């Protein structure tokens, strides 16, 4: 593995289509033998959350409502879909034998993609460590993400 | 041409302003002598489609409706524009002698920018090969895109 | 400072959360000693504008309305927030001792982050040079941005 040829993906979006794209690229990179990192921040955090999470404060609870449900409940970006919902996107993908987000997440982990939760996002949204799925790295900040990025050939912001 | 100094742009968005930005950067890169690639995926595909396309299934038709019309009918991202439409954006650009998307596409092709259609997106959206404009490369996957990206100095996700 | 290890961030979005992410990454990069550039284009321009700007023509005025107010009046991306507004985002950040956008901008400038206004965007939106905050570089184009990007280790499109 070329230590300067990795791939780092910053996942800020919580939209299904963008999270889907992020995992597709990460899996392609890992399958090609590249060191692959995903840094989940802001709305992207929900892709690595377990279901039904709420923060303790009013704000945390409201954010929790938005983030509830883990990766299999993520909706598509509403405005590119013109009201066509998650169910339709899923059905289309199923009709065409495209993996679900949950399968993509599992495949990424099996291929050794490193999942980095953004610590600041967790604090602001009041998401506790135990709310994240097993297998993610310790929550970290921008500095740690940039270290990985500095040995990557491409860094994407999604 | 430095073979490790190319530019690769992943165009996922179908919003006019973002497609516009993607072509502006691609043209700048190609004009500077850089090997320049654009990988069109998801909603980005419509930038390289001919007009009035529909898939054969219900889902394909609904996707087709959204994607109908080719590059000169792409609308701006509604929510940054607060309801100001394509016509206004076009008029503003014309008043200031800014090229239209169609002109940008032509210029990019004249400068040798390589247009790569995402095969998976075409399958899911039921877009046939003949629905794409002339001059694009063969539909390909993430692996082929990453190969180009690995010899690029910058890879953007738009 | 390694002259090929910089960071370049293209800020096209005018959404508070994305502008916030852009500055957070820029500050992290500059703090790590990397040459850091931010290229503000389209809606991103408002992050480096002084308040209450309007263009002279009807179109310019309408764009000005959207861009009015400078960095401390930027709103979050409406659709990921489900109607939760700028005030709430700010309150959450304050509760958690997260810097405001205005503070982030100041910190970035103190750390030597270079702020590059996109000339074409300024022309189309009819934003005069004097409408920009002090300390930004001369307005420039894609070519100048790509030069910085070519000596950067990562270039992000936000």
């Amino acid at each position: 593995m070329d230590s300067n040829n990795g791939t780092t993906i910053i996942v800020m979006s919580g939209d299904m289509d963008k999270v889907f794209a992020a995992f597709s690229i990460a899996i392609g990179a890992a399958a090609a033998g590249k060191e692959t990192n995903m840094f989940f921040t802001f709305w992207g955090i929900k892709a690595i959350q377990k279901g039904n999470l709420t923060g303790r404060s009013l704000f945390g609870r409201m954010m929790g409502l938005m983030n509830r449900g883990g990766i299999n409940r993520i909706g598509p970006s509403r405005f590119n879909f013109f009201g066509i919902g998650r169910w339709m996107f899923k059905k289309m993908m199923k009709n065409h034998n495209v993996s679900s987000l949950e399968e993509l997440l599992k495949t990424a982990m099996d291929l050794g993609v490193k999942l980095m939760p953004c610590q600041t996002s967790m604090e602001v949204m009041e998401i506790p460590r135990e709310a994240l799925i097993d297998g993610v790295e310790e929550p970290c900040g921008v500095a740690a993400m940039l270290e990985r990025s500095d040995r990557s050939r491409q860094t994407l912001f999604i």
Side-chain angles (χ1 to χ4, degrees), chain A residues 24-86:
Chain A
S24 301
I25 296 169
I27 287 169
K34 293 159 75 76
E35 182 196 45
T36 308
N37 313 287
M38 300 178 85
F39 179 73
F40 296 90
T41 184
F42 284 81
W43 325 108
I45 288 270
K46 65 180 160 181
I48 50 168
Q49 265 184 283
K50 299 174 193 160
N52 289 308
L53 304 166
T54 58
R56 285 147 301 168
S57 73
L58 171 64
F59 295 129
R61 276 200 302 277
M62 290 182 73
M63 302 304 288
L65 275 177
M66 288 186 255
N67 282 331
R68 186 156 68 181
I71 196 164
N72 62 335
R73 294 181 65 184
I74 291 177
S77 61
R78 266 144 299 278
F79 306 102
N80 276 316
F81 276 82
F82 290 97
I84 295 175
R86 186 177 53 218

Side-chain angles (χ1 to χ4, degrees), chain A residues 95-134:
Chain A
N95 286 350
H96 292 278
N97 295 315
V98 179
S99 305
S100 70
L101 274 183
E102 218 166 359
E103 290 165 336
L104 288 178
L105 173 62
K106 197 185 167 306
T107 303
M109 294 177 84
D110 288 347
L111 287 170
V113 174
K114 289 165 195 159
L115 309 176
M116 311 167 81
C118 169
Q119 190 158 24
T120 305
S121 300
M122 291 175 66
E123 283 168 13
V124 170
M125 296 185 183
E126 302 179 356
I127 298 167
R129 178 70 182 78
E130 60 268 22
L132 302 182
I133 59 172
D134 295 331

